[in-house]
Amino acid sequence: MNSMAAELVRLLTVAGRTLAVAESLTGGLVAAEITAVPGASKVFRGSVTAYATELKHELLGVDATLLAQRGAVDPQVAAQMAAGVRKALGADWGLATTGVAGPDPQDGQAVGTVFVAVDGPFGPGTGSAGGGKVEALRLNGDRAEIRRESVRSVLALLLRELAGEQTGNERTQDTEQNGGF
């Protein structure tokens, strides 16, 4: 998995972009994976491990009514966590993980229910589609396996966005070099 984190750090460094992470079920594993990469300090702003539900509201700005109605394991919560950490830590990109690693269900959600999210500089000219992205996962395995796969999935989500951004930038550069079409 560290090769994914190394590629993230490389792409963010090349793009001159920064990253912040909001974690719940992964408890700091995403941040640990990224900061294990030499040179991560150039791009990694920091992380918030908001394990307690109320901290998702207090530290990350997740809507309190949403948390009360749906609980912490919800796609909109993941999206708001990613946007909230991005804003709170002043980063270009925000990642978030929320879900149920087990051993027991939580907020009416089964063990293995996970939502990962990315929020970033989407929109015209970035090569990425508008709005944040959330992926719903149904993972199998024990607690450690669910947490590990959640880390891998959120890193992969950002890698896909960065690859799209890079492809868009390369297309723009190629167009400019070839007559502006």
Side-chain angles (χ1 to χ4, degrees), residues 61-145:
V62 176
D63 183 72
T65 303
L66 173 66
L67 288 166
Q69 290 176 348
R70 297 198 189 162
V73 183
D74 181 82
Q76 288 182 15
V77 171
Q80 289 184 20
M81 287 173 65
V85 78
R86 179 180 174 218
K87 181 180 177 185
L89 301 185
D92 297 306
W93 292 93
L95 289 180
T97 62
T98 188
V100 186
D104 300 314
Q106 177 188 337
D107 296 333
Q109 300 284 355
V111 172
T113 302
V114 175
F115 298 97
V116 297
V118 61
D119 188 76
F122 301 104
T126 66
S128 296
K133 305 255 168 112
V134 179
E135 283 188 0
L137 309 172
R138 298 292 285 164
L139 304 175
N140 296 313
D142 64 20
R143 182 175 174 79
E145 291 168 324

